[in-house]
Amino acid sequence: MHELSIAGAVVDTAIGHSGGRRVEVVTVRIGSLRMVVPDSLAFYFEIVARDSLCEGAELEIDQVPALLRCPVCVHEWDPAPPPLSSHGIEPGADPLLPYFRCPACESPRSDIVSGDELEVESIEVRDPEPAAATQAH
């Protein structure tokens, strides 16, 4: 349910940078480690955007996969559970748990390279309607 508060922050950010113009598209980058459900975020975005400059705006979500790096051996890996093989679960793998220990050297330390993002990447706004030209007399 934290998608509701994220949607509110996205709408506030977009409005704050819109210069008072109607927002047409908001693009957000969300890392997989943030555990945000895209459909829930889109649902709450629509609700929070009502009666604001973001009403009717399209929400584009750029999902960023997780990538970790071992500070000991510099190996990089995706912590997501390994896919099931045609024979079932890979030996020694738990099909439900991410793996944060380095698979190369078993170090328990890891640095996040990507997957922790949560940012409004861009907004598209509607240009203001041109003012009616005044005629010179």
Side-chain angles (χ1 to χ4, degrees):
M1 175 103 164
H2 70 286
E3 286 86 352
L4 176 58
S5 62
I6 294 170
V10 168
V11 168
D12 290 345
T13 300
I15 291 171
H17 289 87
S18 71
R21 297 172 287 178
R22 180 154 299 282
V23 177
E24 295 192 344
V25 180
V26 179
T27 303
V28 295
R29 289 176 38 88
I30 301 175
S32 62
L33 295 174
R34 289 292 180 159
M35 305 302 291
V36 173
V37 178
D39 289 343
S40 293
L41 180 59
F43 173 79
Y44 287 121
F45 176 82
E46 188 176 318
I47 291 172
V48 174
R50 287 183 188 155
D51 299 324
S52 77
L53 292 172
C54 287
E55 184 169 16
E58 178 183 349
L59 179 65
E60 294 180 351
I61 300 172
D62 179 15
Q63 294 183 279
V64 181
L67 185 63
L68 303 180
R69 179 182 300 129
C70 176
V72 176
C73 72
V74 196
H75 177 76
E76 292 184 351
W77 74 99
D78 179 348
L84 298 178
S85 71
S86 60
H87 304 292
I89 301 170
E90 295 293 331
D94 186 321
L96 302 177
L97 297 176
Y99 198 70
F100 293 100
R101 197 175 271 276
C102 177
C105 74
E106 291 296 318
S107 171
R109 298 183 357 216
S110 61
D111 297 324
I112 298 172
V113 176
S114 67
D116 196 32
E117 297 82 356
L118 180 55
E119 58 196 16
V120 174
E121 183 173 52
S122 65
I123 63 170
E124 293 178 25
V125 295
R126 183 179 305 152
D127 286 330
E129 299 297 322
T134 57
Q135 295 180 343
H137 294 297

